[in-house]
Amino acid sequence: MSTPENSLPVLHTVSAMRQFRSTLPEPVALVPTMGMLHRGHMSLIRLATRRALSVVVSVYVNPTQLTSVEEQGAYPVNLDDDVQRLQHLKGELCRERQGHEDTVLAVFAPTDQEMYPHGTDLRQRFCSHVVISPELTGVLEGEDHPTHFLGVGTVCLKLFNMVRPQLAVFGEKDYQQTVVIKRLVEEFLLGLEVVVAPTIREADGLAVSSRNAFLGLERRAVAAVLHRALKAGITTYQAGQCRREAILEACRGEILRERERQSSRDPSDQVTFEVIYFGLSDRQTLENVEEVNVTRGALLSGAMQMLPFEVMARSNSTQPHDWVSDRVSVRLINSLVL
């Protein structure tokens, strides 16, 4: 454990985490993250400090829920920066509470060896893992990433066992993940509360995410189309249309309008993207909803891939571009509750 003077405790091993946990005042809250902390994370941590006397923030890029080396590269952890952000937040909380610093805040940043002593390939026979109901994990985000929630469930169960929190805080942005984690907690009798916090958004509706940093200026502007598409679906529903196809068609219509805008631009400045899915689902079971029951509502969700620019094709462009960000393909997700 590293604990320089006036800094947060930073723990790197399971044994250190368990020893530290034995000293913490309860209740204890866990806020799992994959680093690159932003104001969305800070909102989760703030909520945790209002509900618990001790808050552990885990910083771990979990390879078993990511589908490629490229996707893992979208989470370049700078632990020092994250600890500084948390230290700043701790100071803010202390000032807001007029000097009464009554919440213990700590960081758990384990290594792959600590988390997966038998390796990170969960398909190997020596690796144990958690399988959640395919009805929850094989749709939406899990349809084209079939091992994603296998990794999510496994890492969360490990973190829950290591930290032994009374509550864990997740963001509603990853709505399907919160449903899966609630099922995990219920079926494995873990005895902790899963707290879901509202999505933090930019002014144009884009959900705050670590991945946004890789969009660059032009792709960042176009990325808001995902939120606009979902809002178009919401508007259709609010106008009295409850059928699945009508709501999703409204979403697709907004996507089509953005593609037409891009096609009118110079080819070297066009932003390209692919819609992965739009879904209208039951909020508890994630089953497809063909017609929304107004008393139950539904989850309207979508995902898209912002494609990298072709650098050579853009060499004659007069527009400024962030060449580093432009080369990274970025997956974005969003959801709204009807």
Side-chain angles (χ1 to χ4, degrees):
M1 179 175 70
S2 55
T3 56
E5 187 176 358
N6 298 322
S7 71
L8 301 177
V10 180
L11 306 110
H12 297 284
T13 67
V14 177
S15 58
M17 181 66 248
R18 286 177 171 163
Q19 182 178 5
F20 184 72
R21 171 64 177 84
S22 68
T23 70
L24 293 178
E26 296 184 338
V28 174
L30 171 66
V31 182
T33 83
M34 293 210 293
M36 292 185 69
L37 301 184
H38 49 66
R39 60 191 179 95
H41 293 121
M42 297 306 169
S43 71
L44 303 182
I45 298 165
R46 281 181 170 274
L47 174 58
T49 65
R50 294 195 295 270
R51 295 287 308 275
L53 292 179
S54 304
V55 176
V56 175
V57 179
S58 64
V59 177
Y60 178 63
V61 179
N62 178 33
T64 65
Q65 72 187 71
L66 302 174
T67 58
S68 66
V69 173
E70 179 184 9
E71 206 177 15
Q72 293 182 40
Y75 292 92
V77 173
N78 187 323
L79 185 59
D80 290 340
D81 284 353
D82 286 339
V83 171
Q84 286 182 7
R85 292 186 181 98
L86 291 171
Q87 186 71 54
H88 181 73
L89 175 63
K90 185 177 181 182
E92 286 183 348
L93 293 171
C94 186
R95 289 189 294 274
E96 291 168 7
R97 297 170 182 178
Q98 299 180 342
H100 297 288
E101 190 177 322
D102 54 357
T103 301
V104 177
L105 188 59
V107 178
F108 181 39
T111 63
D112 285 346
Q113 178 60 35
E114 287 289 316
M115 295 298 291
Y116 296 98
H118 297 290
T120 58
D121 186 353
L122 299 186
R123 295 167 297 182
Q124 292 185 6
R125 64 189 181 93
F126 295 112
C127 295
S128 300
H129 55 266
V130 175
V131 177
I132 308 296
S133 169
E135 286 75 17
L136 296 181
T137 60
V139 298
L140 304 175
E141 284 298 288
E143 186 167 358
D144 66 327
H145 285 182
T147 63
H148 173 71
F149 287 109
L150 182 151
V152 169
T154 300
V155 78
C156 284
L157 182 59
K158 287 173 179 278
L159 289 170
F160 295 159
N161 284 334
M162 294 170 184
V163 179
R164 291 184 289 113
Q166 277 82 25
L167 63 148
V169 184
F170 295 86
E172 191 177 49
K173 179 182 78 71
D174 300 295
Y175 190 99
Q176 185 177 9
Q177 175 176 271
T178 67
V179 174
V180 170
I181 297 304
K182 286 179 179 178
R183 177 68 66 86
L184 171 76
V185 168
E186 176 187 357
E187 293 201 358
F188 285 88
L189 308 176
L190 298 182
L192 64 90
E193 179 185 1
V194 177
V195 179
V196 180
T199 301
I200 302 299
R201 301 184 182 277
E202 305 290 359
D204 60 3
L206 182 69
V208 173
S209 170
S210 302
R211 299 183 183 212
N212 295 352
F214 294 91
L215 288 171
L217 295 177
E218 290 195 8
R219 290 196 302 174
R220 167 62 187 84
V222 175
V225 68
L226 181 58
H227 183 70
R228 294 201 308 272
L230 296 182
K231 290 290 286 185
I234 292 287
T235 299
T236 297
Y237 170 69
Q238 291 174 338
Q241 181 56 260
C242 296
R243 291 186 304 108
R244 173 189 182 84
E245 188 53 36
I247 294 171
L248 297 188
E249 184 60 31
C251 298
R252 291 190 286 265
E254 184 61 36
I255 294 294
L256 179 60
R257 285 187 284 275
E258 181 59 45
R259 285 196 168 127
E260 290 173 346
R261 282 190 287 269
Q262 292 304 313
S263 65
S264 68
R265 304 180 69 185
D266 186 283
S268 64
D269 292 319
Q270 290 178 10
V271 175
T272 56
F273 57 88
E274 295 177 351
V275 173
I276 301 169
Y277 66 82
F278 283 115
L280 187 66
S281 315
D282 183 273
R283 292 164 60 183
Q284 281 75 47
T285 67
L286 301 181
E287 294 176 321
N288 284 342
V289 170
E290 296 302 327
E291 185 161 349
V292 180
N293 182 323
V294 295
T295 61
R296 286 179 58 85
L299 175 71
L300 180 61
S301 60
M304 61 188 288
Q305 196 83 18
M306 302 298 296
L307 301 179
F309 286 124
E310 293 296 334
V311 177
M312 294 304 293
R314 300 169 60 81
S315 59
N316 296 324
S317 172
T318 60
Q319 299 297 320
H321 302 293
D322 183 341
W323 297 110
V324 175
S325 296
D326 287 351
R327 296 177 183 179
V328 178
S329 181
V330 181
R331 184 185 182 107
L332 301 175
I333 63 174
N334 207 336
S335 63
L336 296 172
V337 174
L338 279 66

